[in-house]
PDB file of all heavy atoms in Angstrom:
ATOM      1  N   GLY I  27      -0.511   7.235   1.211  1.00 97.00           N
ATOM      2  CA  GLY I  27      -1.792   7.941   1.219  1.00 97.00           C
ATOM      3  C   GLY I  27      -2.909   7.006   1.576  1.00 97.00           C
ATOM      4  O   GLY I  27      -3.845   7.381   2.313  1.00 97.00           O
ATOM      5  N   GLU I  28      -2.910   5.823   1.021  1.00 96.00           N
ATOM      6  CA  GLU I  28      -3.960   4.823   1.295  1.00 96.00           C
ATOM      7  C   GLU I  28      -3.912   4.444   2.797  1.00 96.00           C
ATOM      8  O   GLU I  28      -5.012   4.360   3.430  1.00 96.00           O
ATOM      9  CB  GLU I  28      -3.732   3.559   0.442  1.00 96.00           C
ATOM     10  CG  GLU I  28      -3.544   3.789  -0.995  1.00 96.00           C
ATOM     11  CD  GLU I  28      -3.259   2.523  -1.727  1.00 96.00           C
ATOM     12  OE1 GLU I  28      -4.049   1.592  -1.650  1.00 96.00           O
ATOM     13  OE2 GLU I  28      -2.133   2.354  -2.358  1.00 96.00           O
ATOM     14  N   VAL I  29      -2.777   4.143   3.313  1.00 97.00           N
ATOM     15  CA  VAL I  29      -2.630   3.783   4.733  1.00 97.00           C
ATOM     16  C   VAL I  29      -3.217   4.902   5.589  1.00 97.00           C
ATOM     17  O   VAL I  29      -3.976   4.666   6.541  1.00 97.00           O
ATOM     18  CB  VAL I  29      -1.195   3.479   5.103  1.00 97.00           C
ATOM     19  CG1 VAL I  29      -1.058   3.119   6.561  1.00 97.00           C
ATOM     20  CG2 VAL I  29      -0.664   2.325   4.235  1.00 97.00           C
ATOM     21  N   ALA I  30      -2.806   6.145   5.279  1.00 97.00           N
ATOM     22  CA  ALA I  30      -3.260   7.296   6.030  1.00 97.00           C
ATOM     23  C   ALA I  30      -4.773   7.394   6.031  1.00 97.00           C
ATOM     24  O   ALA I  30      -5.389   7.541   7.077  1.00 97.00           O
ATOM     25  CB  ALA I  30      -2.620   8.537   5.501  1.00 97.00           C
ATOM     26  N   ALA I  31      -5.325   7.243   4.898  1.00 96.00           N
ATOM     27  CA  ALA I  31      -6.769   7.411   4.729  1.00 96.00           C
ATOM     28  C   ALA I  31      -7.467   6.247   5.523  1.00 96.00           C
ATOM     29  O   ALA I  31      -8.421   6.513   6.297  1.00 96.00           O
ATOM     30  CB  ALA I  31      -7.174   7.308   3.240  1.00 96.00           C
ATOM     31  N   GLU I  32      -6.997   5.037   5.421  1.00 96.00           N
ATOM     32  CA  GLU I  32      -7.684   3.942   6.000  1.00 96.00           C
ATOM     33  C   GLU I  32      -7.501   3.969   7.568  1.00 96.00           C
ATOM     34  O   GLU I  32      -8.408   3.560   8.301  1.00 96.00           O
ATOM     35  CB  GLU I  32      -7.198   2.607   5.512  1.00 96.00           C
ATOM     36  CG  GLU I  32      -8.186   2.016   4.542  1.00 96.00           C
ATOM     37  CD  GLU I  32      -7.819   0.553   4.194  1.00 96.00           C
ATOM     38  OE1 GLU I  32      -8.152  -0.343   5.023  1.00 96.00           O
ATOM     39  OE2 GLU I  32      -7.231   0.311   3.151  1.00 96.00           O
ATOM     40  N   ALA I  33      -6.368   4.435   8.003  1.00 96.00           N
ATOM     41  CA  ALA I  33      -6.107   4.466   9.450  1.00 96.00           C
ATOM     42  C   ALA I  33      -6.680   5.751  10.133  1.00 96.00           C
ATOM     43  O   ALA I  33      -6.752   5.873  11.300  1.00 96.00           O
ATOM     44  CB  ALA I  33      -4.650   4.343   9.747  1.00 96.00           C
ATOM     45  N   GLY I  34      -7.007   6.730   9.229  1.00 95.00           N
ATOM     46  CA  GLY I  34      -7.588   7.984   9.765  1.00 95.00           C
ATOM     47  C   GLY I  34      -6.554   8.897  10.337  1.00 95.00           C
ATOM     48  O   GLY I  34      -6.842   9.631  11.276  1.00 95.00           O
ATOM     49  N   VAL I  35      -5.383   8.875   9.792  1.00 96.00           N
ATOM     50  CA  VAL I  35      -4.360   9.800  10.273  1.00 96.00           C
ATOM     51  C   VAL I  35      -3.732  10.547   9.028  1.00 96.00           C
ATOM     52  O   VAL I  35      -4.097  10.239   7.914  1.00 96.00           O
ATOM     53  CB  VAL I  35      -3.194   9.084  10.972  1.00 96.00           C
ATOM     54  CG1 VAL I  35      -3.767   8.297  12.155  1.00 96.00           C
ATOM     55  CG2 VAL I  35      -2.423   8.159  10.045  1.00 96.00           C
ATOM     56  N   SER I  36      -2.871  11.505   9.279  1.00 96.00           N
ATOM     57  CA  SER I  36      -2.307  12.254   8.194  1.00 96.00           C
ATOM     58  C   SER I  36      -1.067  11.522   7.648  1.00 96.00           C
ATOM     59  O   SER I  36      -0.422  10.694   8.361  1.00 96.00           O
ATOM     60  CB  SER I  36      -1.895  13.637   8.677  1.00 96.00           C
ATOM     61  OG  SER I  36      -0.820  13.554   9.567  1.00 96.00           O
ATOM     62  N   VAL I  37      -0.716  11.857   6.411  1.00 97.00           N
ATOM     63  CA  VAL I  37       0.510  11.359   5.859  1.00 97.00           C
ATOM     64  C   VAL I  37       1.795  11.751   6.696  1.00 97.00           C
ATOM     65  O   VAL I  37       2.650  10.989   6.947  1.00 97.00           O
ATOM     66  CB  VAL I  37       0.642  11.872   4.416  1.00 97.00           C
ATOM     67  CG1 VAL I  37       2.046  11.601   3.848  1.00 97.00           C
ATOM     68  CG2 VAL I  37      -0.398  11.253   3.506  1.00 97.00           C
ATOM     69  N   ARG I  38       1.678  13.017   7.153  1.00 97.00           N
ATOM     70  CA  ARG I  38       2.820  13.499   7.960  1.00 97.00           C
ATOM     71  C   ARG I  38       2.966  12.640   9.183  1.00 97.00           C
ATOM     72  O   ARG I  38       4.079  12.360   9.583  1.00 97.00           O
ATOM     73  CB  ARG I  38       2.455  14.933   8.418  1.00 97.00           C
ATOM     74  CG  ARG I  38       3.451  15.582   9.332  1.00 97.00           C
ATOM     75  CD  ARG I  38       4.805  15.853   8.625  1.00 97.00           C
ATOM     76  NE  ARG I  38       5.682  16.535   9.505  1.00 97.00           N
ATOM     77  CZ  ARG I  38       6.676  15.961  10.255  1.00 97.00           C
ATOM     78  NH1 ARG I  38       6.758  14.620  10.185  1.00 97.00           N
ATOM     79  NH2 ARG I  38       7.476  16.614  10.984  1.00 97.00           N
ATOM     80  N   ALA I  39       1.902  12.243   9.821  1.00 97.00           N
ATOM     81  CA  ALA I  39       1.945  11.380  11.019  1.00 97.00           C
ATOM     82  C   ALA I  39       2.666  10.097  10.726  1.00 97.00           C
ATOM     83  O   ALA I  39       3.515   9.630  11.448  1.00 97.00           O
ATOM     84  CB  ALA I  39       0.522  11.129  11.547  1.00 97.00           C
ATOM     85  N   LEU I  40       2.398   9.491   9.564  1.00 97.00           N
ATOM     86  CA  LEU I  40       3.039   8.236   9.232  1.00 97.00           C
ATOM     87  C   LEU I  40       4.542   8.397   9.043  1.00 97.00           C
ATOM     88  O   LEU I  40       5.317   7.598   9.541  1.00 97.00           O
ATOM     89  CB  LEU I  40       2.455   7.639   7.954  1.00 97.00           C
ATOM     90  CG  LEU I  40       0.966   7.221   8.034  1.00 97.00           C
ATOM     91  CD1 LEU I  40       0.473   6.607   6.769  1.00 97.00           C
ATOM     92  CD2 LEU I  40       0.764   6.305   9.260  1.00 97.00           C
ATOM     93  N   ARG I  41       4.931   9.508   8.412  1.00 97.00           N
ATOM     94  CA  ARG I  41       6.361   9.764   8.264  1.00 97.00           C
ATOM     95  C   ARG I  41       6.993   9.970   9.616  1.00 97.00           C
ATOM     96  O   ARG I  41       8.091   9.547   9.901  1.00 97.00           O
ATOM     97  CB  ARG I  41       6.574  11.030   7.363  1.00 97.00           C
ATOM     98  CG  ARG I  41       6.045  10.785   5.967  1.00 97.00           C
ATOM     99  CD  ARG I  41       6.769  11.686   4.961  1.00 97.00           C
ATOM    100  NE  ARG I  41       6.150  11.607   3.638  1.00 97.00           N
ATOM    101  CZ  ARG I  41       5.336  12.598   3.162  1.00 97.00           C
ATOM    102  NH1 ARG I  41       5.117  13.685   3.890  1.00 97.00           N
ATOM    103  NH2 ARG I  41       4.785  12.487   1.975  1.00 97.00           N
ATOM    104  N   TYR I  42       6.230  10.652  10.464  1.00 97.00           N
ATOM    105  CA  TYR I  42       6.751  10.916  11.859  1.00 97.00           C
ATOM    106  C   TYR I  42       6.904   9.585  12.561  1.00 97.00           C
ATOM    107  O   TYR I  42       7.906   9.387  13.251  1.00 97.00           O
ATOM    108  CB  TYR I  42       5.754  11.822  12.575  1.00 97.00           C
ATOM    109  CG  TYR I  42       6.103  12.064  13.995  1.00 97.00           C
ATOM    110  CD1 TYR I  42       7.137  12.863  14.340  1.00 97.00           C
ATOM    111  CD2 TYR I  42       5.366  11.447  15.030  1.00 97.00           C
ATOM    112  CE1 TYR I  42       7.481  13.072  15.699  1.00 97.00           C
ATOM    113  CE2 TYR I  42       5.698  11.665  16.351  1.00 97.00           C
ATOM    114  CZ  TYR I  42       6.724  12.503  16.661  1.00 97.00           C
ATOM    115  OH  TYR I  42       7.038  12.737  18.015  1.00 97.00           O
ATOM    116  N   TYR I  43       5.978   8.696  12.452  1.00 97.00           N
ATOM    117  CA  TYR I  43       6.096   7.387  13.115  1.00 97.00           C
ATOM    118  C   TYR I  43       7.305   6.667  12.629  1.00 97.00           C
ATOM    119  O   TYR I  43       8.010   6.005  13.436  1.00 97.00           O
ATOM    120  CB  TYR I  43       4.836   6.547  12.848  1.00 97.00           C
ATOM    121  CG  TYR I  43       3.564   7.126  13.394  1.00 97.00           C
ATOM    122  CD1 TYR I  43       2.320   6.713  13.014  1.00 97.00           C
ATOM    123  CD2 TYR I  43       3.620   8.108  14.378  1.00 97.00           C
ATOM    124  CE1 TYR I  43       1.175   7.217  13.494  1.00 97.00           C
ATOM    125  CE2 TYR I  43       2.470   8.678  14.925  1.00 97.00           C
ATOM    126  CZ  TYR I  43       1.237   8.228  14.463  1.00 97.00           C
ATOM    127  OH  TYR I  43       0.087   8.741  14.972  1.00 97.00           O
ATOM    128  N   GLU I  44       7.593   6.748  11.371  1.00 96.00           N
ATOM    129  CA  GLU I  44       8.784   6.062  10.817  1.00 96.00           C
ATOM    130  C   GLU I  44      10.009   6.712  11.425  1.00 96.00           C
ATOM    131  O   GLU I  44      11.005   6.039  11.808  1.00 96.00           O
ATOM    132  CB  GLU I  44       8.777   6.197   9.301  1.00 96.00           C
ATOM    133  CG  GLU I  44       9.993   5.531   8.655  1.00 96.00           C
ATOM    134  CD  GLU I  44       9.889   5.475   7.190  1.00 96.00           C
ATOM    135  OE1 GLU I  44       8.762   5.643   6.631  1.00 96.00           O
ATOM    136  OE2 GLU I  44      10.928   5.288   6.495  1.00 96.00           O
ATOM    137  N   GLU I  45       9.988   8.005  11.475  1.00 95.00           N
ATOM    138  CA  GLU I  45      11.115   8.767  12.071  1.00 95.00           C
ATOM    139  C   GLU I  45      11.394   8.327  13.492  1.00 95.00           C
ATOM    140  O   GLU I  45      12.512   8.267  13.945  1.00 95.00           O
ATOM    141  CB  GLU I  45      10.726  10.247  12.001  1.00 95.00           C
ATOM    142  CG  GLU I  45      11.830  11.239  12.267  1.00 95.00           C
ATOM    143  CD  GLU I  45      11.318  12.669  12.143  1.00 95.00           C
ATOM    144  OE1 GLU I  45      10.550  12.964  11.268  1.00 95.00           O
ATOM    145  OE2 GLU I  45      11.659  13.433  13.057  1.00 95.00           O
ATOM    146  N   GLN I  46      10.333   7.991  14.234  1.00 95.00           N
ATOM    147  CA  GLN I  46      10.470   7.584  15.566  1.00 95.00           C
ATOM    148  C   GLN I  46      10.734   6.088  15.722  1.00 95.00           C
ATOM    149  O   GLN I  46      10.841   5.575  16.826  1.00 95.00           O
ATOM    150  CB  GLN I  46       9.166   7.914  16.372  1.00 95.00           C
ATOM    151  CG  GLN I  46       8.796   9.364  16.345  1.00 95.00           C
ATOM    152  CD  GLN I  46       9.869  10.218  16.967  1.00 95.00           C
ATOM    153  OE1 GLN I  46      10.325   9.975  18.100  1.00 95.00           O
ATOM    154  NE2 GLN I  46      10.307  11.276  16.294  1.00 95.00           N
ATOM    155  N   GLY I  47      10.833   5.405  14.585  1.00 94.00           N
ATOM    156  CA  GLY I  47      11.078   3.956  14.659  1.00 94.00           C
ATOM    157  C   GLY I  47       9.863   3.158  15.004  1.00 94.00           C
ATOM    158  O   GLY I  47      10.024   1.973  15.380  1.00 94.00           O
ATOM    159  N   LEU I  48       8.703   3.702  14.818  1.00 95.00           N
ATOM    160  CA  LEU I  48       7.472   2.960  15.236  1.00 95.00           C
ATOM    161  C   LEU I  48       6.892   2.167  14.024  1.00 95.00           C
ATOM    162  O   LEU I  48       6.139   1.222  14.234  1.00 95.00           O
ATOM    163  CB  LEU I  48       6.404   3.959  15.704  1.00 95.00           C
ATOM    164  CG  LEU I  48       6.811   4.867  16.843  1.00 95.00           C
ATOM    165  CD1 LEU I  48       5.669   5.803  17.175  1.00 95.00           C
ATOM    166  CD2 LEU I  48       7.237   4.072  18.093  1.00 95.00           C
ATOM    167  N   LEU I  49       7.291   2.576  12.862  1.00 96.00           N
ATOM    168  CA  LEU I  49       6.632   2.023  11.685  1.00 96.00           C
ATOM    169  C   LEU I  49       7.620   1.888  10.554  1.00 96.00           C
ATOM    170  O   LEU I  49       8.090   2.937  10.006  1.00 96.00           O
ATOM    171  CB  LEU I  49       5.443   2.900  11.272  1.00 96.00           C
ATOM    172  CG  LEU I  49       4.568   2.395  10.076  1.00 96.00           C
ATOM    173  CD1 LEU I  49       3.801   1.121  10.525  1.00 96.00           C
ATOM    174  CD2 LEU I  49       3.557   3.507   9.778  1.00 96.00           C
ATOM    175  N   ASP I  50       7.948   0.679  10.142  1.00 94.00           N
ATOM    176  CA  ASP I  50       8.884   0.478   9.046  1.00 94.00           C
ATOM    177  C   ASP I  50       8.136   0.479   7.715  1.00 94.00           C
ATOM    178  O   ASP I  50       6.934   0.176   7.670  1.00 94.00           O
ATOM    179  CB  ASP I  50       9.639  -0.858   9.192  1.00 94.00           C
ATOM    180  CG  ASP I  50      10.648  -0.733  10.324  1.00 94.00           C
ATOM    181  OD1 ASP I  50      10.852   0.397  10.816  1.00 94.00           O
ATOM    182  OD2 ASP I  50      11.270  -1.774  10.656  1.00 94.00           O
ATOM    183  N   ALA I  51       8.861   0.801   6.628  1.00 96.00           N
ATOM    184  CA  ALA I  51       8.259   0.711   5.317  1.00 96.00           C
ATOM    185  C   ALA I  51       9.308   0.228   4.329  1.00 96.00           C
ATOM    186  O   ALA I  51      10.485   0.624   4.398  1.00 96.00           O
ATOM    187  CB  ALA I  51       7.675   2.062   4.928  1.00 96.00           C
TER     188      ALA I  51
END
Side-chain angles (χ1 to χ4, degrees):
Chain I
E28 309 176 59
V29 177
E32 257 192 78
V35 304
S36 70
V37 168
R38 175 71 175 96
L40 295 184
R41 297 206 189 102
Y42 176 72
Y43 296 163
E44 181 172 342
E45 194 180 316
Q46 301 299 310
L48 305 177
L49 186 64
D50 287 354

